[in-house]
Amino acid sequence: MSVPNQLLRLVLGHKGHLFFGVVFMVFYALFTVAPAKYMKDIVDALGSGKVPEQSRFILVGFGIVLLFFFKGITFFGQNYLMNSMGQKIIMELREKLFRQILMLPVEFHNKQSTGDLISRFTTDLTSLAEAVKTAISGPLRDLPQILILLGIMGYRSWQLFLLTLLLLPVAGWLIQTFGQQNQLVTTKRQSKYGDLTNLLNETITGIRIVQAFGMEGYEARRFKAENHRLFRYFLHSVKIGSYSFPILELIGGICGASVLTFGGYLIIHGQITGGDFASFIVAFFMMNEPIKKFNGFTLKIQEGMASANRIYEILQTENPIRDRSGSVLLEPLQKEIRIKVERFDYGGKAVLKDIDLVLPKGSITALVGASGSGKTTLANLLPRFFDVPDGMGVITIDGVDIRSATLNSLRGQIALVTQEIVLFNDTVRNNISYGKIDCDQAALEHAAKVAYAYDFITKFENGFDQEIGEKGQLLSGGQRQRLSISRALIKDAPILILDEATSALDTESEKEVQAAIENLMKNRTSLVIAHRLSTVQHADIIHVLKEGRIIESGSHRELLEQKGEYYRLYQLQFRDDPIED
Ligand SMILES: Nc1ncnc2c1ncn2[C@@H]1O[C@H](COP(=O)(O)OP(=O)(O)OP(=O)(O)O)[C@@H](O)[C@H]1O
Ligand SMILES: [Mg+2]
């Protein structure tokens, strides 16, 4: 469905608001144009030579007050209803967008810049809200007003009306041109806004590196350049908005002068009365207002459409990693996981080749290998962060292809500890219970104890309710790791994927983290990317990855005896590690 159709469907979802809003708009238009119509009677009465009675003036005055009163009420009604509808639509879209972002796969997020996504939420939604409101009030409030005024004008003097009709298309053409110019600028401007947001996001989250490397000046210059670029786009919009207004007004003035001159001629030659002329002129100048609004209307609509396109670009992004039709619920693991990958790549050269692994239930499988050999990539296939393309391999759990299982039933069985620890700006409690929000205090404490996190948590001033800062920055590296292990523990899933963090810890926390990891692996089927000797030693089988291939497999002792790649890695990596037992 095209973007305008999608938007129309959203609007039609609010029929009540729409209906009453339109009713108020029609009345508002009528009350607004009424003075133009009655001007004739007033002027003709005054010009008839007879002295009118005082009471008639009072009556007219009373009429005016009443008119403005009703005009006010109908303005409130239409403005409130239309704006609240606009905001409701935006609220719905915002939620849709957020849900879509939650669902879109890792691949999408790897490519999409955060700043750009955020600006689609902020600036794009705001300008769309404006456009939705204007799109409705333009044709429903301003257009009828223009039509009624034109009607009054034609009724009062067809000669003057014809003259006006000749002049109107010029204004129409100008309005159209300004609108198109603005849409172009807006599209570019919104994407620049995304760039700026991105820069901001990166600098703020990387502030420690920025400061440590003395790059404040560099970042400031980068920001200044982006900021200026954005400024120039805004300036362009401002320019269009600013010159389109006086140009239109000037055109209006020229038209007014022509009408005035021609009108004088008609009165002198007795073709129309002074009242006709006054009524016509009032209607003519009253048209200025809705026409100018119509100009603003097209500008805003074009801006809004540019934004709507950016929003729907995300909403309509295909999600290749989703439940396929006929997806089955995956039963809890009974026997084994099998990972068979002929080839996997990220769009370039192969990252994984000829992988064929079996992970029996309850076993610990370790992956080791040089940096960049494909360990994390391999582990990411199991929870379907990426799918192996059809025909390039298959991953099964008890014989069921995971691509044919529902994502929930698959991921529900997997606890994950990632290489880069992800924590949220929330309390210790909410970070641990992240996969099981409703767990009780006992379960929470148990998980914390098993992960060797209980002691440091209880030393916090607020214990489990301690806020840990953005990305857990108020914690030490080892504490962060143990929290992420607690989180995996509380999920209590049968399958564990553990991508050990490579960051070195001091011997004391290293020991605690190791002990936590051992507890975490108990009674689970584990796929562990091992950087620690103790983890490797506990493994039932170790696979050595090199450039995407498994080149050696066996137990720690067997592999050492082979004196191959593992032996070499061991010499480099593990030799200095403290060995238990
Ligand atoms: N999202 C991605 N898009 C494109 N290429 C990627 C992506 N992720 C990883 N790669 C590439 O794939 C290869 C394997 O990366 P991977 O993260 O699996 O290595 P790793 O074995 O986990 O390394 P490390 O021990 O350093 O964590 C690398 O060459 C990397 O550059
Ligand atoms: Mg890795």
Side-chain angles (χ1 to χ4, degrees):
M1 212 191 291
S2 70
V3 174
N5 279 348
Q6 297 264 16
L7 291 175
L8 189 67
R9 231 181 42 179
L10 281 180
V11 172
L12 291 180
H14 300 271
K15 292 208 176 68
H17 276 74
L18 198 58
F19 176 76
F20 288 106
V22 169
V23 169
F24 276 116
M25 276 182 190
V26 170
F27 278 101
Y28 175 72
L30 288 176
F31 287 125
T32 306
V33 301
K37 171 145 196 317
Y38 294 108
M39 193 50 93
K40 175 181 163 64
D41 303 330
I42 297 169
V43 172
D44 281 346
L46 287 174
S48 66
K50 281 184 283 174
V51 179
E53 297 156 33
Q54 178 67 50
S55 62
R56 291 190 66 182
F57 279 104
I58 295 176
L59 212 62
V60 170
F62 187 67
I64 290 173
V65 173
L66 213 61
L67 197 69
F68 277 101
F69 177 73
F70 284 117
K71 192 180 153 188
I73 286 184
T74 49
F75 177 84
F76 171 81
Q78 56 96 7
N79 201 49
Y80 178 78
L81 285 171
M82 286 301 139
N83 274 311
S84 63
M85 181 175 85
Q87 289 303 333
K88 264 203 177 133
I89 288 174
I90 294 310
M91 181 177 77
E92 289 164 10
L93 265 182
R94 201 183 283 137
E95 207 168 300
K96 260 191 173 173
L97 197 57
F98 188 67
R99 275 178 194 277
Q100 172 76 345
I101 285 173
L102 283 180
M103 302 297 291
L104 281 171
V106 174
E107 192 181 2
F108 167 86
H109 289 284
N110 281 348
K111 289 184 185 146
Q112 186 71 37
S113 88
T114 318
D116 185 66
L117 271 186
I118 290 173
S119 80
R120 288 177 209 238
F121 267 92
T122 49
T123 48
D124 284 319
L125 274 174
T126 313
S127 89
L128 183 59
E130 271 297 307
V132 166
K133 188 190 88 188
T134 322
I136 295 161
S137 60
L140 297 180
R141 186 188 66 200
D142 302 333
L143 195 62
Q145 216 168 312
I146 294 175
L147 292 179
I148 299 171
L149 287 170
L150 279 175
I152 295 175
M153 287 157 74
Y155 180 63
R156 292 297 180 224
S157 159
W158 62 267
Q159 302 95 324
L160 286 173
F161 180 66
L162 278 185
L163 178 67
T164 316
L165 280 193
L166 287 178
L167 299 168
L168 265 184
V170 181
W173 173 76
L174 278 171
I175 288 173
Q176 172 76 9
T177 314
F178 295 145
Q180 279 166 353
Q181 285 178 353
N182 206 37
Q183 179 169 22
L184 270 175
V185 181
T186 308
T187 311
K188 287 193 197 135
R189 189 184 76 199
Q190 299 300 66
S191 113
K192 274 285 150 248
Y193 211 88
D195 291 348
L196 192 81
T197 317
N198 218 25
L199 194 72
L200 202 59
N201 184 29
E202 258 180 14
T203 314
I204 293 171
T205 49
I207 193 70
R208 274 182 294 183
I209 296 297
V210 173
Q211 291 180 350
F213 283 77
M215 295 300 271
E216 295 92 336
Y218 172 77
E219 293 297 346
R221 280 193 299 281
R222 246 173 22 131
F223 190 84
K224 189 174 173 179
E226 284 295 338
N227 200 16
H228 269 246
R229 234 166 275 152
L230 184 65
F231 168 73
R232 280 198 292 276
Y233 282 115
F234 267 108
L235 209 59
H236 205 136
S237 287
V238 169
K239 223 193 290 174
I240 296 172
S242 307
Y243 67 61
S244 67
F245 181 79
I247 287 178
L248 280 174
E249 204 152 55
L250 184 65
I251 303 267
I254 295 172
C255 297
S258 321
V259 166
L260 198 72
T261 319
F262 188 43
Y265 170 85
L266 290 176
I267 295 180
I268 293 168
H269 289 82
Q271 306 237 4
I272 54 172
T273 67
D276 285 326
F277 185 63
S279 176
F280 187 94
I281 283 286
V282 169
F284 183 84
F285 281 106
M286 267 192 167
M287 259 193 20
N288 218 357
E289 210 39 52
I291 282 190
K292 270 190 297 191
K293 270 192 199 142
F294 231 77
N295 175 43
F297 166 82
T298 48
L299 293 183
K300 272 188 192 157
I301 294 296
Q302 307 277 13
E303 277 191 22
M305 278 316 291
S307 288
N309 284 330
R310 279 167 52 78
I311 291 165
Y312 274 94
E313 193 188 337
I314 304 290
L315 286 179
Q316 292 173 338
T317 300
E318 272 290 316
N319 185 357
I321 300 187
R322 60 179 196 299
D323 293 348
R324 300 183 177 183
S325 63
S327 292
V328 292
L329 281 181
L330 202 61
E331 296 295 324
L333 174 66
Q334 289 298 324
K335 201 167 153 255
E336 62 178 32
I337 302 168
R338 180 147 191 214
I339 304 177
K340 209 167 142 55
V341 182
E342 275 163 41
R343 184 194 152 97
F344 180 82
D345 62 59
Y346 291 105
K349 69 177 191 28
V351 177
L352 295 175
K353 278 165 281 186
D354 303 326
I355 306 285
D356 194 354
L357 298 180
V358 176
L359 286 65
K361 184 182 179 187
S363 67
I364 298 174
T365 305
L367 291 175
V368 300
S371 178
S373 56
K375 305 179 296 291
T376 302
T377 304
L378 181 58
N380 278 345
L381 296 178
L382 193 50
R384 290 186 66 199
F385 289 146
F386 295 88
D387 266 345
V388 187
D390 283 319
M392 285 294 167
V394 60
I395 297 175
T396 56
I397 291 185
D398 294 332
V400 179
D401 185 343
I402 57 170
R403 288 169 301 194
S404 66
T406 64
L407 278 175
N408 271 341
S409 67
L410 170 69
R411 293 181 180 166
Q413 292 205 40
I414 299 173
L416 177 68
V417 179
T418 49
Q419 189 167 12
E420 276 161 24
I421 290 154
V422 179
L423 293 172
F424 298 98
N425 189 3
D426 204 337
T427 56
V428 168
R429 176 190 310 280
N430 290 344
N431 269 288
I432 296 182
S433 65
Y434 195 71
K436 222 180 199 173
I437 295 289
D438 48 5
C439 72
D440 57 19
Q441 181 69 19
L444 201 69
E445 287 183 8
H446 178 72
K449 277 179 190 155
V450 179
Y452 289 83
Y454 188 76
D455 284 349
F456 78 80
I457 293 172
T458 46
K459 280 198 194 108
F460 287 143
E461 195 185 332
N462 301 317
F464 278 90
D465 294 314
Q466 182 81 16
E467 294 279 344
I468 62 166
E470 195 177 352
K471 295 184 180 173
Q473 293 203 34
L474 304 179
L475 302 177
S476 76
Q479 289 172 339
R480 281 203 285 271
Q481 285 187 6
R482 280 172 282 163
L483 274 202
S484 77
I485 292 169
S486 314
R487 179 170 64 198
L489 272 163
I490 213 151
K491 187 171 175 190
D492 199 20
I495 301 169
L496 169 72
I497 298 173
L498 173 67
D499 202 343
E500 280 184 347
T502 31
S503 58
L505 299 169
D506 62 83
T507 321
E508 194 57 35
S509 13
E510 180 76 39
K511 269 192 182 147
E512 291 196 326
V513 170
Q514 275 176 6
I517 286 176
E518 278 154 34
N519 284 338
L520 179 60
M521 291 191 299
K522 264 180 209 151
N523 307 322
R524 276 177 240 277
T525 310
S526 310
L527 178 63
V528 187
I529 296 168
H531 296 288
R532 292 184 174 83
L533 184 59
S534 76
T535 315
V536 185
Q537 281 184 320
H538 279 85
D540 296 300
I541 185 159
I542 304 163
H543 298 287
V544 184
L545 264 180
K546 188 176 182 183
E547 290 166 15
R549 275 178 212 278
I550 293 176
I551 54 165
E552 286 169 19
S553 302
S555 70
H556 178 61
R557 300 246 168 267
E558 286 164 5
L559 288 175
L560 278 185
E561 280 162 17
Q562 277 187 25
K563 288 218 164 23
E565 178 74 7
Y566 182 79
Y567 180 78
R568 199 181 67 82
L569 279 171
Y570 172 75
Q571 297 289 325
L572 288 172
Q573 228 175 306
F574 301 125
R575 206 178 38 188
D576 297 334
D577 279 19
I579 300 178
E580 297 163 38
D581 59 0

